[in-house]
Amino acid sequence: MPDFPTDLPTQWATELNLPVSVPLNLEATLFCGQAFRWQRVSPEEREPKVFQAVVGGEVLELSQQFSSVEPHSPASELLVRCTAEAIGGEPLKKFVPHYLGLDDDVEKIFPPPFRSRYPDLVAAAMRYFGLRLMRQAPFETLISFMCAQGMGIKLIRRQVSLLARAFGNPLAAPPDLTIDSPHENSYENLNTSLSQLPQIQNFIAITAYKFPTPEQIAAAPVSVLTGCTNNNSIRAKNIRRVAEAVADGSLNLNALLALRCPLDEARETLMRFSGIGAKIADCVCLFGLEHRSAFPIDTHVRQYLDGWFGLKTKTASLTPAGYEALCNEAKDVLGSPYAGLAGQLLFHTWRRDVRHLKEV
DNA sequence: CCCCAGGCAGCGC
DNA sequence: GCGCTGCATGGG
């Protein structure tokens, strides 16, 4: 078991207690596969659990203190620490609840007809009640899910860490932890760092580097980028092309936010790029662009749609038309105003309690 | 050795 | 529109 430092980064600019009056399952929210840079930094079994990530270019730390013994009691308190006082111009008191998606009404995830039809399933999913849809940085979400095709979540996390390490700006490092070559993004050290990654990825790669800007990835040599993308050069080239488009303004992610743009238009825009299909576009829309009705279908979702609801597809492989059809059928069965959140909750339940996948 | 992982594009039919 | 294949690698 790794030796966890007690207080990782530098000085905190802000520490605050944030009362939370709605259900929140912080651990499930951070580790249900929608975010890849969050890390638990407290020792195993220690309560409260402490989590860190680089968010908005700053280190954000969250831990949840419950005000009652009930594990999912609506009343809880978040201990928030950050290396800045605000993120994206917003004070943390406003930013954190918005970032964690606490404004969604989780009581409405499963409407009464669904509850009465699938009582056992709903009961099982309630174990993760309070799982939320986060509002993550669009570009980071986009690149992260482009790394996701045919990979396990563990491998996705590694790719995202490598990208940050190779191309992102380093944050101020804690004095007792030495990072090899934190001063510059030294490409020539990447191969050695690959072998050291099992050791360093526990925290350094997660909390010591900002996620690269579009400009940084657009300027990256494809060969080095390939080293970060599981040695898949096609994926590296696709990622570079997308980063170039964001950097030169031809792809404006902010214009695709749910407030400004319907879901169909956002996913069509994303799917014009090589390397982005329906599933990845839906993930970006759901986790990075606030499209609450997006419903990504991956191999796990396909499995539970079949196993729990009997929704099968005629074809072995999920064709574009088959994807859209299955998507609509799933939304019909759920009948939920929060289809995306319902899907994510079921995704997590399937992986944890049916497939028994512990690793995130 | 096998198969599977938060898939997608390019091809032949 | 459908189905097969390449892409890469770690883990069960």
Side-chain angles (χ1 to χ4, degrees), chain A residues 18-25 29 78 96-106 130 132-133 135 292:
Chain A
L18 198 63
V20 175
S21 59
V22 294
L24 170 63
N25 185 331
T29 299
L78 277 182
V96 171
H98 189 254
Y99 172 70
L100 291 176
L102 297 186
D103 47 339
D104 285 331
D105 187 353
V106 286
R132 299 287 179 160
L133 281 179
R135 290 183 171 85
R292 291 324 209 213

Side-chain angles (χ1 to χ4, degrees), chain A residues 37-85:
Chain A
R37 295 250 285 158
W38 278 92
Q39 183 81 27
R40 192 184 67 232
V41 297
S42 57
E44 204 128 359
E45 308 302 332
R46 169 82 61 85
E47 296 288 344
K49 293 172 182 163
V50 184
F51 308 103
Q52 287 184 351
V54 177
V55 177
E58 303 291 340
V59 180
L60 181 63
E61 180 183 288
L62 298 175
S63 56
Q64 191 172 27
Q65 332 261 336
F66 292 102
S67 57
S68 78
V69 191
E70 293 271 328
H72 301 316
S73 162
S76 69
E77 196 172 67
L78 277 182
L79 177 56
V80 181
R81 304 162 97 185
C82 186
T83 50
E85 292 175 4

Side-chain angles (χ1 to χ4, degrees), chain A residues 2 20 42 74 111 179-180 182 193 195 216 230 242-243 289:
Chain A
V20 175
S42 57
I179 305 170
D180 44 333
S193 70
S195 61
Q216 284 172 321
N230 214 33
V242 166
L289 297 172

Side-chain angles (χ1 to χ4, degrees), chain A residues 44-255:
Chain A
E44 204 128 359
E45 308 302 332
R46 169 82 61 85
E47 296 288 344
K49 293 172 182 163
V50 184
F51 308 103
Q52 287 184 351
V54 177
V55 177
E58 303 291 340
V59 180
L60 181 63
E61 180 183 288
L62 298 175
S63 56
Q64 191 172 27
Q65 332 261 336
F66 292 102
S67 57
S68 78
V69 191
E70 293 271 328
H72 301 316
S73 162
S76 69
E77 196 172 67
L78 277 182
L79 177 56
V80 181
R81 304 162 97 185
C82 186
T83 50
E85 292 175 4
I87 294 180
E90 280 195 292
L92 290 170
K93 196 176 170 182
K94 286 192 113 177
F95 175 84
V96 171
H98 189 254
Y99 172 70
L100 291 176
L102 297 186
D103 47 339
D104 285 331
D105 187 353
V106 286
E107 306 287 350
K108 293 182 180 163
I109 291 176
F110 298 125
F114 183 86
R115 287 174 190 266
S116 53
R117 192 169 169 192
Y118 301 100
D120 296 341
L121 176 55
V122 170
M126 281 305 106
R127 188 170 165 189
Y128 306 106
F129 189 58
L131 184 156
R132 299 287 179 160
L133 281 179
M134 300 163 69
R135 290 183 171 85
Q136 300 180 86
F139 181 67
E140 178 172 338
T141 308
L142 174 57
I143 301 302
S144 297
F145 278 95
M146 288 187 75
C147 293
Q149 59 196 70
M151 296 294 129
I153 288 183
K154 198 171 181 179
L155 218 38
I156 301 170
R157 289 172 68 94
R158 194 180 78 166
Q159 293 175 73
V160 174
S161 295
L162 280 173
L163 286 172
R165 196 180 143 65
F167 305 112
N169 291 338
L171 292 151
D176 57 333
L177 291 174
T178 52
I179 305 170
D180 44 333
S181 70
H183 316 294
E184 290 179 27
N185 305 317
S186 51
Y187 300 145
E188 64 274 14
N189 285 347
L190 193 66
N191 283 335
T192 58
S193 70
L194 267 170
S195 61
Q196 294 166 356
L197 195 70
Q199 288 81 41
I200 64 167
Q201 85 172 56
N202 277 333
F203 314 159
I204 305 298
I206 303 276
T207 50
Y209 293 89
K210 301 180 188 182
F211 193 82
T213 62
E215 290 76 13
Q216 284 172 321
I217 292 188
V222 172
S223 59
V224 187
L225 211 44
T226 302
C228 302
T229 58
N230 214 33
N231 290 325
N232 188 329
S233 62
I234 295 174
R235 177 179 304 156
K237 286 171 194 160
N238 289 337
I239 286 175
R240 233 193 83 139
R241 219 169 291 137
V242 166
E244 288 165 2
V246 176
D248 70 25
S250 58
L251 175 59
N252 182 356
L253 293 176
N254 287 329

Side-chain angles (χ1 to χ4, degrees), chain A residues 331-354:
Chain A
K331 287 180 184 176
D332 282 348
V333 170
L334 290 167
S336 170
Y338 293 103
L341 183 48
Q344 189 61 18
L345 186 58
L346 294 176
F347 170 85
H348 194 57
T349 306
W350 177 265
R351 281 175 49 90
R352 292 295 299 261
D353 297 342
V354 179

